[in-house]
Amino acid sequence: MRDELPVVAGGLLVAAALVVRRRRRVARPPRLVRYAALAICALTPAPSRAAEPSAATAPALAAATVEAWLAQVPIALENRRHETPWQRFKRATPAERAALDFPLLAPGASLPVRLAALGDLERRGLYDAWNVAWLWREPPPAAAADLAAFAARLVHHGRTAEALAAAKASLPVALRPWMSKAAPPPSVRMHGVRAGDVLARFPAAWAAARPRWTQPGPLTLTVAAGELGLWRDGRRATVTAGASFALAPLDVLEARAEVRLRHDEVGALVLPAGSATTAWTLPARLSPEAAAQVDALAAQVAARVPGAVDRAERLLPLAHAALRGTDAPDARLLVELFER
Amino acid sequence: MGILHRLLRRPPPEVWRTETRLLHALRIARPPTAIQWIATAACDLRCPHCYSHAGRRLPDELSTDEACRLVVDELAALGGPTFVVAGGEPTLRADLPRVLEHAAARGLPWALHTHGAHVERLADVVRAHPPLLVAVSLDGPRAFHDAFRGRRGSFDASLAALRDLRTWGAPEVIAGTTVTRENADLVADLYPTVRASGADGWGLHLFAPEGRGEAHRALVPTPAQLRRVAAFAERVRAEFPVELDNEWGGAGPDDWRYRDTPFLCGAGRLSCVVGPTGEVMPCTTTDLAESAGNVRESPLSRLWAEGFAAFRDGRDPLRGDVHDCWLQARHGTSCRPHAFGIGA
């Protein structure tokens, strides 16, 4: 049915057109044709989408917050030259950042400092996926519950940032050929977006938002001995011996008593009693044998051994520390993917 | 759900494709948005990933008069689409400033693709008639770029061009990198260079086995590389205008992660390419079977009105698809399943 409607409508229009004219011509599309295309698309079923959860939990955002977000965060064609202070902050080196009016983080900043920075950013409307990676970089030693609470705040922030960006992207925009083949015509270079329109689409976007930073990656670990507390999005699940799980970047692993993990490829990891472990600290938990394997893999990446980069990518939470020690562009790309 | 809501939430390419089919049935062609002119096949580099066979100048390339009369004047008659000048290396055409002056006099906005080594030849015309956009090739860090392009100093020439073009008043100057198997894992090393170059943005093209590239199919990136580069581009977009270009195809519901506006293949529908000898092609393919004709034999406006039916009538699943790069799909190198995790 979906394919037939345009054909039927087109056929009728063809019949009419044949009566009126035979020769093809170049002309601006008549408005009637646009309406007909819109109607055909509206009457045909939309492509099936994944079931969307309820939008009831979408946070309430003020219009002023969205205004501030639109003014600072999105990078789009129309503002390439107009670099906002926030964009300048993100692009700046740590030394340059000191001169800009945004929260600063010293290396190893404590969780309260990071939380305060996050709150400050949100008050300014600076919802940005970039913040999640920046504030989670090398989290300080802390109790598992505290780390998990902070990670949950970041998940919420990341999902809000994602929903805002998706809501903005869902607004109709002028079409243009892609810049690889053609420059955009002047008429479509300044498309404005209103905060009210973004806000209206925000709840639906929130319901569908799946921030990639919160999704489990390809690294699968198995609990070999002990009982592991797996904190994800503020909730603690228990993983018992023999069970496996895929690690997400914002997960916190809590070991109240010693826990031994196993990775099928590299071997054993040991989480000491009373420890809290994140993807950042996971390499330190590798057994000596497993660490040697990871080091060897990093050396293969540096030597550009075929397939080594792909293997290292699958093991990134275990291998990022070793990869930092190499002087290889392939390794640097993987480390960037881990940190961003 | 109200009908207006459905109308507005519909992804624009669906509406656009339906409209194109209806227009074709009504024997109407949209005015083109942009027409690219391959000004010459001449190039002083021999890059293995070249989408044409650029090298020597072809003996029967359009003359200055033909370029002005058969291309520029026809573009004006077509409503003034953007005049995109590419090559080969277009700045090797000594008469290019004259052609661009003529285009400016006819009120055409223009854009340029160049490797950057000879842009000083266009300094006056850029100052007098700033192009909408200039894209300068940058394949990787210095050592890689110079080795890949076969000329020491070409990396520095690209950086100098990015700087000079801005100084001369070009409103938007971007760096363009064609991602191949050899440089895909170098993008993180190249990023700081692009950022420091003063470029307003960074376009990541994707190697297609066309032209000279056909003999270098081994340059097609691996699926894992495609995924890594797409992921890197998505993340860097938070701080710098990086975009995946046409050859990557559309990313479906995730398109906004990689681009500012939804992907749309405009080949033969919004844009076309005039080759150095006047052949009118839907895009940068070198397959003359796809030609709509030659501007020496028929006016460009007529070729545009009459040609490219397979791209407009919606019956050809390959050419009628606005969601993927048809050229990549034809070569079996569509990257969408790997880069974006969606069906081709």
Side-chain angles (χ1 to χ4, degrees), chain A residues 25-110:
Chain A
R25 64 191 172 107
V26 179
R28 301 250 165 237
R31 197 165 287 183
L32 190 62
V33 175
R34 168 62 56 90
Y35 293 154
L38 282 167
I40 289 167
C41 286
L43 292 170
T44 50
S48 61
R49 290 163 185 259
E52 294 176 356
S54 163
T57 54
L61 290 180
T65 304
V66 181
E67 288 277 8
W69 177 80
L70 277 171
Q72 291 276 349
V73 177
I75 290 180
L77 281 176
E78 65 263 36
N79 62 9
R80 279 186 177 175
R81 275 289 162 89
H82 177 63
E83 186 184 54
T84 68
W86 174 241
Q87 285 160 6
R88 200 172 311 135
F89 178 79
K90 288 190 291 182
R91 293 175 203 174
T93 62
E96 290 167 341
R97 279 191 192 138
L100 296 165
D101 178 32
F102 290 104
L104 290 174
L105 284 186
S110 67

Side-chain angles (χ1 to χ4, degrees), chain A residues 170-199:
Chain A
S170 72
L171 291 168
V173 292
L175 296 172
R176 67 182 183 86
W178 210 244
M179 68 184 180
S180 61
K181 297 293 183 288
S187 58
V188 301
R189 288 171 66 77
M190 296 294 287
H191 54 262
V193 173
R194 294 185 307 168
D197 293 338
V198 174
L199 209 47

Side-chain angles (χ1 to χ4, degrees), chain B residues 79-326:
Chain B
T82 305
F83 180 39
V84 184
V85 182
E89 175 47 43
T91 55
L92 291 177
R93 252 192 98 120
D95 62 352
L96 185 61
R98 276 179 59 196
V99 176
L100 292 174
E101 291 280 357
H102 183 66
R106 298 303 309 263
L108 296 180
W110 67 285
L112 176 72
H113 287 260
T114 175
H115 66 42
H118 314 294
V119 287
E120 73 283 354
R121 298 174 186 184
L122 299 182
D124 289 342
V125 75
V126 169
R127 284 194 188 98
H129 310 289
L132 281 179
L133 172 87
V134 181
V136 180
S137 303
L138 205 57
D139 289 327
R142 178 180 280 106
F144 178 87
H145 181 97
D146 285 358
F148 194 68
R149 298 214 157 225
R151 175 164 296 184
R152 189 175 297 174
S154 57
F155 176 84
D156 291 331
S158 293
L159 291 190
L162 286 164
R163 188 185 58 240
D164 291 345
L165 286 159
R166 286 194 65 156
T167 307
W168 300 334
E172 187 173 353
V173 184
I174 63 168
T177 300
T178 300
V179 175
T180 68
R181 187 171 298 198
E182 292 189 8
N183 69 356
D185 289 316
L186 302 180
V187 289
D189 277 20
L190 183 57
Y191 171 52
T193 304
V194 172
R195 215 171 59 170
S197 71
D200 297 301
W202 188 15
L204 291 172
H205 300 260
L206 184 61
F207 171 73
E210 275 282 320
R212 186 177 298 122
E214 202 172 352
H216 297 273
R217 280 190 77 96
L219 288 176
V220 174
T222 66
Q225 286 179 321
L226 292 168
R227 191 186 61 250
R228 284 196 287 272
V229 175
F232 180 74
E234 179 201 345
R235 293 172 201 195
V236 168
R237 263 174 69 78
E239 54 186 64
F240 191 74
V242 180
E243 294 187 294
L244 299 185
D245 289 324
N246 259 21
E247 306 86 356
W248 291 80
D254 285 333
D255 220 44
W256 61 272
R257 297 177 189 275
Y258 308 98
R259 307 181 164 101
D260 293 333
T261 52
F263 171 87
L264 179 72
C265 173
R269 294 172 279 240
L270 278 177
S271 58
C272 68
V273 173
V274 180
T277 58
E279 291 294 332
V280 179
M281 312 294 283
C283 65
T284 50
T285 177
T286 51
D287 181 359
L288 288 176
E290 301 292 341
S291 173
N294 193 298
V295 296
R296 281 173 168 144
E297 293 156 9
S298 187
L300 179 57
S301 51
R302 185 178 301 165
L303 295 176
W304 176 258
E306 302 280 348
F308 307 123
F311 290 86
R312 297 173 184 172
D313 65 16
R315 292 183 196 141
D316 185 327
L318 178 69
R319 292 165 185 79
D321 184 5
V322 297
H323 299 289
D324 199 2
C325 170
W326 79 278

Side-chain angles (χ1 to χ4, degrees), chain B residues 3-78:
Chain B
I3 191 164
L4 277 179
H5 183 75
R6 285 200 66 177
L7 291 179
L8 291 173
R9 76 190 286 267
R10 175 71 59 166
E14 291 294 338
V15 176
W16 189 84
R17 178 162 63 174
T18 306
E19 185 184 286
T20 302
R21 293 171 68 178
L22 293 178
L23 286 172
H24 185 74
L26 286 166
R27 307 184 70 77
I28 295 173
R30 281 192 193 84
T33 302
I35 289 188
Q36 181 165 315
W37 175 43
I38 307 292
T40 179
C43 187
D44 49 348
L45 303 178
R46 298 290 184 273
C47 311
H49 62 353
C50 184
Y51 61 73
S52 65
H53 295 282
R56 288 179 185 278
R57 181 189 168 125
L58 300 175
D60 52 347
E61 291 186 356
L62 297 180
S63 66
T64 310
D65 173 63
E66 286 176 319
C68 291
R69 197 165 40 83
L70 303 180
V71 181
V72 173
D73 290 352
E74 281 292 302
L75 260 65
L78 280 166

Side-chain angles (χ1 to χ4, degrees), chain B residues 326-339:
Chain B
W326 79 278
L327 207 51
Q328 297 279 23
R330 186 170 74 152
H331 286 295
T333 50
S334 172
C335 76
R336 300 170 82 213
H338 314 301

